[in-house]
Amino acid sequence: MVDSQQCPHDSRVSCTDCVLNSICLPIALEAEDIVKLDEIVARGRPLQKGDHLYRQEDEFSSIYAVRSGSMKSYTVTDDGQELVTGFYFPGEILGMDGIGRNRHASSAKAMETVSVCEIPFDNLGALSQKIPSLQQHCFQLMSQEIIDDRQLLALLSKCQAEERVATFLLSVSARKARNRLSATHFRLPMSRADMGNYLGLTVETISRVLSKFQKSKLLAVDNKEISIADICALKELSALRFE
Amino acid sequence: MVDSQQCPHDSRVSCTDCVLNSICLPIALEAEDIVKLDEIVARGRPLQKGDHLYRQEDEFSSIYAVRSGSMKSYTVTDDGQELVTGFYFPGEILGMDGIGRNRHASSAKAMETVSVCEIPFDNLGALSQKIPSLQQHCFQLMSQEIIDDRQLLALLSKCQAEERVATFLLSVSARKARNRLSATHFRLPMSRADMGNYLGLTVETISRVLSKFQKSKLLAVDNKEISIADICALKELSALRFE
DNA sequence: AACAATACTTGATATAAATCAATTCGTAGA
DNA sequence: TCTACGAATTGATTTATATCAAGTATTGTT
C-alpha cells in the first residue's frame, strides 16, 4: 500500500490509497463512497508523449483524472488553427467539456508519459444520483472550470504579455505546490509555443518575457526548468490572484 | 393561458405554460417533472435597469433564468477593473459560476427591465437527485457554458477586432432568432463600452468597426438598433461558427 | 556519436489597436 | 422644452506585440 502510494504510475492503486485523493474526485466522499467510486474507475496503461487520450468530436463517454505526468487539451478551429485550452497536472480532471454535446469539444494529448484514471460518465451520473455529495462535487468541479476559464478570459482581454506570463507561472507554481512539489523550482512540461498559444501570445513574446524576467532577477530559466527567485515580485506583476 | 404566454413579464406563468420552455431548463423534462420543477421556481417582481440580481461574493443560493429583458454579468478584479463576462437573453440561465465556491463569482445587473425565474439550487440539486434527466441537463448546461467560454477565449486570443465584432453580432442574432425574433434587425441592449469590455476592445475600436461595417454595407447602425444587410459576408468575417 | 529536425532566442520592422483629444449625439432631469 | 451629462463617433498619435529573419541550442534518430 505504501509502495503503491509512491508509484503513481502503478495502475493497481485504488482511489482509497491514491496519494492524490485529497485533491481529486474523492475529495467530497466518505470512505465507503470512495469504494463505490473506485469500482467504476478504470486504470489503463500509461500514455506515451504525443499520444491522445481522446480527440475532438470523439463520442463522449468518460472524464479523466491525471494520476501522473501532464496533458494538454486543445481545439482546432474551423480554419485549422490550433488553440490550446488547458494544461492538466496530477489530481486534475479533464474531459468535462464533452458532457454538453455528448462528444468531446477538445482533444487531449500527453505532453510526457502520463497515467490517467478513466471515470465512465454514465456510471458517474448514476452514482451521483445515489450519492448527493458526489453530484455536488461534480457540479463544483464544472463550476470551478467555468471560473477558471473566466479568469483566463480576464487575463487575455485585460492584461499584457508580462502579466499573462507571470500569472501563468504562478498558476503552475501553485499547482505544483498543491501536489507537494516545490513551488519555486519546477519543470514546465509544455513548449513555449503551447504556452504562447494558451496565453494568446507568440513564441517570440514568451521567449522575450522570460528573458526579461531573468535579466531582472525574478527567476532563472534553464530551458524548461524554472527557478522562481522573487515570487513576491512576480505576484505584484500578476494582477490576478491564484490560490 | 394564451394570455400569459404573450406576457413574459407576468410572474404567474408556470414553466409548463412559459413560451420559453423549449429552450429553458424544462427542455429535458417530461410534463410531470416540469410540474415538480415549477414548484421550486420562484418568480419575483421585475428588476429595473441598473438593478442587481446578485453581486459578486454574495452567498450562492440560486441560479436564474431570464424570462424577459436582458442582463449582463461582470466581475471586478483585484485592481478594480470591471470585466464583462456575459450577456443573458430570455431563456438563458445565469449564476452557475457560483456553485463551485458557494458564492457568486460575478455580479449580475439588469441592462433594461428584466423578469427572472429563481431556481433555488439546494432544491434543484435535490430534485436532480430524483430526476436523472434533470441532473443530466444541469451537467449539460454547465458543460455548454464551458464550451461557450472556450469559444470566447478563442475569439479573444486568435481573432482581431473585426472578427470579434462580427462574431458577437452573429451570436446575438442567433439568440434573437432562437427566441423567434428577427435575426437581422434587433436592438443591442448593452453599451458600446460593455460590448468592448466583453470583447477585449476599447469603445473607440467598437465604434470604428461598426462604422466600417456600415460603410461596406454589411449592416446599418442606428444607435443601438442593428440591421444586418449581408449576413453571409458577416459570417465569412467570423471564423467561428455559431449555431 | 553524428546528424537532422525541432525548439528556442534575439534583433529589426510592421501593424493593429490603444490612447489622447475633440466633437457630436442622445437621453434623463430640471 | 431646455439643459446637461454621459454615450458615441471620428481623427491624430503612440505603443505593445506580431511578423519576418537569422542564428543557436536541444532533442531524438540512425
Side-chain angles (χ1 to χ4, degrees):
Chain A
M1 216 89 100
V2 170
D3 236 324
S4 52
Q5 282 203 10
Q6 291 164 345
C7 302
H9 281 294
D10 188 329
S11 67
R12 290 162 309 176
V13 65
S14 68
C15 290
T16 305
D17 300 324
C18 181
V19 274
L20 298 168
N21 69 17
S22 64
I23 56 171
C24 190
L25 252 194
I27 195 170
L29 300 183
E30 307 288 330
E32 56 179 309
D33 288 335
I34 294 182
V35 174
K36 289 185 203 153
L37 174 64
D38 199 55
E39 280 163 15
I40 67 167
V41 170
R43 298 171 190 80
R45 66 183 60 227
L47 290 135
Q48 297 306 309
K49 181 175 179 176
D51 288 351
H52 277 84
L53 181 56
Y54 52 82
R55 286 171 192 272
Q56 196 168 345
E57 305 303 334
D58 277 358
E59 198 184 331
F60 169 79
S61 62
S62 302
I63 62 175
Y64 302 87
V66 176
R67 190 192 296 117
S68 68
S70 54
M71 306 206 65
K72 73 165 179 176
S73 63
Y74 66 96
T75 56
V76 177
T77 56
D78 296 349
D79 51 333
Q81 290 189 95
E82 182 175 316
L83 177 82
V84 175
T85 54
F87 301 108
Y88 298 87
F89 293 110
E92 297 176 348
I93 309 284
L94 67 162
M96 288 184 294
D97 60 3
I99 298 171
R101 295 181 166 165
N102 251 299
R103 33 194 72 249
H104 284 286
S106 59
S107 302
K109 197 177 191 174
M111 295 193 291
E112 55 196 318
T113 304
V114 162
S115 56
V116 297
C117 298
E118 177 178 355
I119 305 142
F121 193 74
D122 281 352
N123 296 336
L124 187 63
L127 191 57
S128 294
Q129 215 75 51
K130 291 188 207 112
I131 309 172
S133 67
L134 183 60
Q135 175 186 272
Q136 173 69 3
H137 191 56
C138 288
F139 282 142
Q140 280 181 7
L141 276 173
M142 295 180 75
S143 167
Q144 189 58 46
E145 192 130 328
I146 294 170
I147 294 172
D148 291 347
D149 282 352
R150 293 276 162 83
Q151 200 124 17
L152 183 57
L153 232 22
L155 197 67
L156 293 190
S157 75
K158 294 275 176 291
C159 303
Q160 37 197 53
E162 289 184 27
E163 241 171 304
R164 295 190 208 178
V165 175
T167 303
F168 178 74
L169 292 174
L170 288 172
S171 161
V172 173
S173 165
R175 289 146 82 188
K176 296 282 179 185
R178 199 175 52 165
N179 282 332
R180 294 179 204 164
L181 298 170
S182 170
T184 53
H185 187 280
F186 48 84
R187 185 172 186 280
L188 289 174
M190 73 291 294
S191 68
R192 302 280 195 269
D194 281 343
M195 198 171 143
N197 188 313
Y198 178 71
L199 293 173
L201 300 167
T202 58
V203 200
E204 292 94 328
T205 300
I206 297 290
S207 200
R208 276 185 252 270
V209 170
L210 287 177
S211 297
K212 190 178 169 191
F213 283 175
Q214 184 155 233
K215 268 190 203 106
S216 48
K217 311 279 186 208
L218 289 180
L219 44 78
V221 184
D222 174 20
N223 196 22
K224 305 210 158 188
E225 296 289 332
I226 302 284
S227 297
I228 299 179
D230 188 348
I231 201 162
C232 295
L234 212 54
K235 279 179 182 165
E236 268 167 44
L237 261 176
S238 151
L240 299 161
R241 229 191 342 256
F242 282 84
E243 75 288 3
Chain B
M1 218 90 100
V2 170
D3 237 323
S4 54
Q5 282 204 9
Q6 290 166 346
C7 302
H9 281 293
D10 189 329
S11 67
R12 290 161 308 176
V13 67
S14 68
C15 289
T16 305
D17 300 324
C18 182
V19 274
L20 299 168
N21 69 17
S22 64
I23 56 171
C24 191
L25 253 193
I27 195 170
L29 300 183
E30 306 288 329
E32 56 180 309
D33 289 335
I34 294 183
V35 174
K36 289 185 203 151
L37 174 64
D38 200 56
E39 279 164 14
I40 66 168
V41 171
R43 297 171 190 82
R45 67 183 60 226
L47 289 137
Q48 296 306 310
K49 181 176 180 176
D51 287 350
H52 278 85
L53 181 57
Y54 53 81
R55 285 171 192 273
Q56 197 168 345
E57 305 304 333
D58 276 358
E59 197 183 331
F60 169 79
S61 62
S62 302
I63 61 175
Y64 302 88
V66 176
R67 190 190 298 116
S68 68
S70 56
M71 305 206 67
K72 73 165 180 176
S73 64
Y74 65 97
T75 57
V76 177
T77 56
D78 296 351
D79 53 331
Q81 289 188 95
E82 183 174 315
L83 178 83
V84 175
T85 53
F87 301 107
Y88 298 87
F89 292 111
E92 296 176 349
I93 309 285
L94 67 162
M96 289 185 294
D97 60 3
I99 298 171
R101 295 183 166 164
N102 251 298
R103 36 194 70 248
H104 284 287
S106 59
S107 302
K109 198 176 189 175
M111 295 192 291
E112 56 195 316
T113 304
V114 162
S115 56
V116 296
C117 297
E118 177 177 356
I119 304 141
F121 194 74
D122 280 353
N123 297 335
L124 187 63
L127 190 58
S128 294
Q129 215 76 51
K130 293 189 206 112
I131 309 172
S133 67
L134 182 59
Q135 175 186 275
Q136 173 69 3
H137 192 56
C138 288
F139 282 143
Q140 281 181 6
L141 276 173
M142 295 180 75
S143 167
Q144 189 57 44
E145 191 129 330
I146 295 169
I147 294 171
D148 291 346
D149 282 352
R150 293 278 163 82
Q151 200 124 17
L152 183 57
L153 231 24
L155 197 65
L156 293 191
S157 75
K158 293 274 175 292
C159 304
Q160 36 198 52
E162 288 183 28
E163 241 172 304
R164 296 190 208 178
V165 175
T167 303
F168 178 75
L169 292 174
L170 288 172
S171 161
V172 173
S173 164
R175 289 145 83 188
K176 295 284 178 184
R178 198 175 54 166
N179 282 331
R180 294 179 202 164
L181 298 169
S182 169
T184 53
H185 187 281
F186 49 83
R187 186 171 184 280
L188 290 174
M190 72 292 294
S191 69
R192 301 282 194 268
D194 281 343
M195 198 172 144
N197 188 313
Y198 178 70
L199 293 173
L201 300 168
T202 58
V203 199
E204 293 94 328
T205 300
I206 298 291
S207 201
R208 275 184 252 270
V209 171
L210 287 177
S211 296
K212 189 178 170 191
F213 284 175
Q214 184 155 234
K215 267 190 204 106
S216 48
K217 310 279 187 207
L218 289 180
L219 44 78
V221 183
D222 175 19
N223 197 25
K224 306 212 156 186
E225 296 288 331
I226 302 283
S227 297
I228 300 179
D230 188 347
I231 202 162
C232 295
L234 212 53
K235 279 178 183 167
E236 269 168 44
L237 263 176
S238 150
L240 300 160
R241 231 193 342 255
F242 281 85
E243 75 287 5

